[in-house]
Amino acid sequence: MPPKHNFEWRSQREYHNLFVNRADNDLAGPAWRIEVVGLPGGGVPGKQVDQSDLSKLIDPSTGGFWEMMCFDDWLFDLEKIEILYPSRMVKIYIAEKT
């Protein structure tokens, strides 16, 4: 894993860079909603995205889900990513700091 101060590495994991909120008329197919749960100091707004955007949850170097993600340039460990297909909802859970 690259050092946590590596800005290119961090920008690849920035929530606001990965997911762009889309207007209803810009969506290809039904919208998916992404919410972040457990972010200290409040939260970030949920995003409405295309189904194809869900692939951005995958780390291209490992093929698995991201284990860390940045929110407003603060790096957090992820506890889990929950995909609720019937309601077209994705919940990203932030791990508690130990």
Side-chain angles (χ1 to χ4, degrees), residues 77-93:
D77 291 326
L78 302 183
E79 180 179 324
K80 69 178 175 178
I81 297 172
E82 187 175 49
I83 299 173
L84 306 166
Y85 185 77
S87 59
R88 288 185 160 69
M89 169 81 69
V90 174
K91 292 187 178 184
I92 299 172
Y93 291 86

Side-chain angles (χ1 to χ4, degrees), residues 2 4 11 16 21 24 26 31 33-34 50 52 73 83 86 88:
K4 292 182 180 181
S11 70
H16 296 294
N21 207 22
D24 286 334
D26 290 342
R33 182 132 179 95
I34 298 179
D50 289 326
S52 62
D73 205 33
I83 299 173
R88 288 185 160 69

Side-chain angles (χ1 to χ4, degrees), residues 28-92:
W32 281 74
R33 182 132 179 95
I34 298 179
E35 290 185 0
V36 179
V37 178
L39 195 62
V44 294
K47 306 269 184 164
Q48 187 171 325
V49 300
D50 289 326
Q51 182 171 327
S52 62
D53 289 336
L54 300 184
S55 65
K56 296 176 182 176
L57 294 166
I58 306 292
D59 180 347
S61 65
T62 66
F65 287 104
W66 291 111
E67 295 179 7
M68 292 184 278
M69 192 175 281
C70 291
F71 299 88
D72 294 327
D73 205 33
W74 290 89
L75 185 63
F76 292 93
D77 291 326
L78 302 183
E79 180 179 324
K80 69 178 175 178
I81 297 172
E82 187 175 49
I83 299 173
L84 306 166
Y85 185 77
S87 59
R88 288 185 160 69
M89 169 81 69
V90 174
K91 292 187 178 184
I92 299 172

